[in-house]
Amino acid sequence: MACLAVLMTGCVGPVSQLESPPQTVQLDGDAYRVEQITASTWSAQAPRHLPDGPQKTANLVRAVEKASNCKVTDSSYGAAGAALHAQVDCGSKLKN
């Protein structure tokens, strides 16, 4: 029975330190939802009222950089286009 308890507790480990609750980042009066997915991957969602286009993408990148304090090196929209997924480089920290 003790072995079973050990096996069961092994499956329910502590939450990873990389996981953090989503953040709200304010840019130009709008609130962006930003969330860390892995050490170098972040996701950002813009307010629904913002039109699609290069300015929205630029603001999503800015929101990720502000929340992560890292430089976005690559980004793409998720399958549904609702969120921007960004890779960040924290070796060259941004100076805000």
Side-chain angles (χ1 to χ4, degrees), residues 24-56:
T24 300
V25 175
Q26 295 289 329
L27 293 175
D28 303 326
D30 290 312
Y32 294 80
R33 184 180 184 273
V34 182
E35 184 174 10
Q36 185 175 14
I37 307 301
T38 68
S40 63
T41 305
W42 289 69
S43 177
Q45 293 177 324
R48 293 178 191 231
H49 72 274
L50 292 180
D52 290 337
Q55 185 61 46
K56 179 179 176 180

Side-chain angles (χ1 to χ4, degrees), residues 17-88:
Q17 292 180 351
L18 294 177
E19 294 176 5
S20 60
Q23 302 176 43
T24 300
V25 175
Q26 295 289 329
L27 293 175
D28 303 326
D30 290 312
Y32 294 80
R33 184 180 184 273
V34 182
E35 184 174 10
Q36 185 175 14
I37 307 301
T38 68
S40 63
T41 305
W42 289 69
S43 177
Q45 293 177 324
R48 293 178 191 231
H49 72 274
L50 292 180
D52 290 337
Q55 185 61 46
K56 179 179 176 180
T57 301
N59 284 347
L60 287 165
V61 167
R62 284 179 48 211
V64 169
E65 289 180 340
K66 186 174 182 180
S68 67
N69 199 32
C70 299
K71 175 112 177 98
V72 171
T73 58
D74 191 24
S75 64
S76 63
Y77 281 95
L84 181 86
H85 299 287
Q87 296 296 310
V88 298

Side-chain angles (χ1 to χ4, degrees), residues 1-14:
M1 192 61 129
C3 291
L4 181 58
V6 169
L7 288 174
M8 289 177 65
T9 58
C11 295
V12 183

